[in-house]
């Protein structure tokens, strides 16, 4: 009984340390903690699932940086984390990793060479047999984040996905397509741009370490 209580306390302590470091943007501290305590990565990833929370977005970016950097020091451990994220998206896992594409995108953005097989996997999440694809906005976010620094890792399929989703009825999907197109310096077709300028739905986006609200038409004007 006492051992179980002690283990639970230790897990809580790890989560508290990780949360405090994310708030402080302490990458060095989290990276050193991960080296000593592998559960710190799990705690970090578990913080990243709530896309309505600014702290979750910060945790998501931090997790990508940590795993990307880890590939330089312990390639197998980093690949193991990537495989775990991918596994969690499968039906067999029984989980719903809402931010899996975004996490994978941040890992590639941080360190693309060891993970050059991952962008096509991210693109694969854009295809769904159902109309309600919970990963689609995240795929577009990831493609934009990768392409902003490493355009060569976004192939024709990635660009096609971005173009196709510019007119998506879901404002979050549409907004992320617009942002990704801007980061990849893709020009919006005139007819698509004209249509988007009539859309005034508000969406929340994570920009400059802050979660902000913006209208779709404003995003288009920002890209012009």
């Amino acid at each position: 009984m006492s051992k179980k209580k002690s283990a639970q306390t230790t897990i809580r302590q790890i989560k508290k340390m990780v949360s405090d470091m994310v708030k402080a943007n302490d990458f060095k501290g989290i990276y050193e903690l991960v080296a000593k305590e592998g559960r710190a990565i799990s705690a970090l990833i578990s913080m990243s699932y709530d896309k309505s929370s600014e702290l979750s977005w910060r945790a998501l970016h931090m997790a990508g940086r940590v795993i990307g950097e880890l590939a330089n020091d312990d390639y197998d451990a980093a690949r193991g984390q990537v495989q775990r994220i991918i596994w969690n998206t499968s039906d067999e896992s029984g989980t719903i990793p809402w931010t899996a594409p975004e996490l994978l995108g941040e890992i590639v953005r941080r360190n693309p060479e060891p993970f050059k097989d991952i962008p096509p996997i991210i693109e694969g999440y854009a295809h769904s047999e159902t109309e309600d694809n919970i990963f689609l906005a995240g795929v577009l976010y990831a493609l934009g984040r990768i392409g902003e620094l490493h355009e060569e890792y976004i192939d024709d399929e990635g660009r096609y996905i971005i173009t196709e989703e510019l007119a998506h009825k879901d404002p979050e999907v549409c907004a992320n397509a617009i942002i990704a197109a801007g980061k990849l310096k893709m020009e919006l077709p005139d007819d698509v741009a004209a249509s988007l300028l009539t859309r005034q739905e508000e969406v929340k986006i994570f920009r400059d370490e802050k979660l902000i609200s913006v209208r779709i038409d404003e995003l288009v004007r920002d890209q012009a």
Side-chain angles (χ1 to χ4, degrees):
M1 183 75 175
S2 61
K3 287 184 179 179
K4 184 176 180 182
K5 185 174 181 182
S6 175
Q8 288 174 341
T9 301
T10 300
I11 292 168
R12 286 199 298 268
Q13 288 173 341
I14 291 169
K15 289 183 175 180
K16 177 66 164 57
M17 285 188 287
V18 167
S19 178
D20 289 345
M21 289 175 186
V22 170
K23 291 174 184 175
N25 195 29
D26 184 3
F27 172 76
K28 184 174 182 289
I30 286 184
Y31 196 77
E32 290 176 351
L33 180 62
V34 166
K36 295 183 291 186
E37 176 52 75
R39 287 175 294 175
I41 287 187
S42 296
L44 188 56
I45 290 174
S46 71
M47 285 181 61
S48 75
Y49 293 150
D50 182 5
K51 290 199 278 188
S52 66
S53 163
E54 190 170 281
L55 186 62
S56 285
W57 278 103
R58 292 182 181 181
L60 189 159
H61 281 203
M62 190 72 79
R65 290 177 62 194
V66 167
I67 298 170
E69 188 66 28
L70 184 61
N72 294 328
D73 298 327
D74 190 339
Y75 175 78
D76 290 340
R79 288 299 303 196
Q81 291 296 329
V82 168
Q83 291 303 320
R84 190 170 291 113
I85 293 169
I86 294 171
W87 159 253
N88 283 340
T89 66
S90 67
D91 293 336
E92 293 87 350
S93 75
T95 61
I96 305 178
W98 301 101
T99 55
E102 292 97 329
L103 283 166
L104 294 171
E106 290 305 307
I107 293 166
V108 177
R109 176 184 167 96
R110 178 69 176 188
N111 193 2
E113 182 58 28
F115 303 106
K116 56 189 175 184
D117 58 319
I118 299 302
I121 293 174
I122 296 172
E123 293 168 1
Y125 293 130
H127 308 299
S128 173
E129 295 179 0
T130 62
E131 186 177 355
D132 182 22
N133 183 348
I134 64 169
F135 293 134
L136 186 52
V139 169
L140 294 160
Y141 181 86
L143 294 177
R145 290 283 292 174
I146 295 168
E148 183 177 29
L149 297 185
H150 312 288
E151 188 177 346
E152 67 275 18
Y153 286 88
I154 306 301
D155 59 13
D156 290 343
E157 172 66 12
R159 292 171 181 273
Y160 174 78
I161 292 168
I162 293 168
T163 302
E164 281 292 291
E165 304 307 339
L166 286 167
H168 200 284
K169 65 181 181 180
D170 184 325
E172 185 185 3
V173 173
C174 176
N176 278 286
I178 294 168
I179 293 168
K183 290 183 182 300
L184 283 159
K185 300 178 178 59
M186 296 167 56
E187 287 193 19
L188 304 183
D190 290 343
D191 58 333
V192 173
S195 176
L196 290 172
L197 285 170
T198 69
R199 296 184 60 172
Q200 298 187 351
E201 303 106 307
E202 269 199 358
V203 293
K204 285 191 177 294
I205 63 171
F206 188 67
R207 175 186 286 173
D208 299 328
E209 297 299 309
K210 293 186 180 298
L211 195 60
I212 63 172
S213 293
V214 64
R215 294 200 320 251
I216 286 177
D217 61 327
E218 293 172 339
L219 283 174
V220 176
R221 291 188 178 92
D222 286 347
Q223 309 285 55

